[in-house]
Amino acid sequence: MNRNTEQPMSPSATPSAGRSFTGQVVHEHQQQPGFLRVLAVDDEVPALDELAYLLRADPRVGRLHTAGDATEALRVLRDIDVDAVFLDIRMPGLDGMELARVLGRFAKPPAVVFVTAYDDRAAEAFDLGVADYVRKPVRADRIAESLRRVLAARLVPTHPSVAGRRDRQDDPTIPVELAGTTRMLPRSSVRWVEAQGDYARLHTADASHLVRVSLATLAERWADAGFVRVHRSFLVQLKLITELRMTNTGYVVVIDDHELPVSRRHTRELKDRLVRAAKSWS
């Protein structure tokens, strides 16, 4: 059954409402700046219904479309432009991550908000530069926060579609949990990373966040951003190292007054990197 629906925010036309050439009612408030055109995508009917209900209830949403899978979503997007796509990740066929990559290649890509019950693909999410990462079950306050972020992204001056892609590439974000709320943490705020089993703990200047991604994965993804492996359990921002010194147990690096061990296998490479960096900064 095709569940692609277009759902205006008002149940009936008003005397001031106009009509499009297709005969669809187009209300004046839907055409004003600040009112969002949103597509919600989820293959589970109850989850999609709940998400659609919360989006319809927010006054910033001017028009809502729904789709039951990624293929159906692409058919919707072929005919209309939207400002944001609220998207489940685990779906049959083309999953949410794959659809988000397709959306990123649009001439004017919509903001993407992942709505998922899982956190095991967080590393991919921040690489894609999503606007938000909402955990199921969804709540009205989290949807409201996501819409605020979408609106804020639309207010970026000078060709947001181009500038937004550049900013996401230069400083991607990663979703982290903070007091029960998912926040998007800029990579630039991470000082060093500590392995904790299959997870990694991201240390910032004033906090730390546990994410479900391996240190090896982050080391590979963040190598071009100046992060260097100093130990099997530690990844650091090279430019933030203030000291490399020998102790009774071996070399350590100092970042923000924290001493982090340097393994023998990484010592030579680290010294070379520091020397090259010093030359480039001088």
Side-chain angles (χ1 to χ4, degrees), residues 5-21:
T5 59
E6 182 182 24
Q7 304 171 34
M9 298 301 104
S10 174
S12 62
T14 65
S16 61
R19 288 186 179 274
S20 69
F21 290 109

Side-chain angles (χ1 to χ4, degrees), residues 118-172:
Y118 307 95
D119 61 0
D120 58 345
R121 302 184 71 180
E124 292 177 81
F126 79 77
D127 272 350
L128 293 173
V130 299
D132 204 357
Y133 194 97
V134 180
R135 292 289 302 277
K136 294 178 180 179
V138 292
R139 306 188 313 269
D141 60 332
R142 283 297 290 120
I143 295 301
E145 170 63 14
S146 296
L147 291 168
R148 184 196 68 77
R149 296 184 186 192
V150 169
L151 276 172
R154 292 181 70 219
L155 296 176
V156 176
T158 312
H159 306 295
S161 63
V162 176
R165 284 198 299 269
R166 183 179 63 247
D167 291 343
R168 291 193 294 267
Q169 291 169 356
D170 292 344
D171 192 14

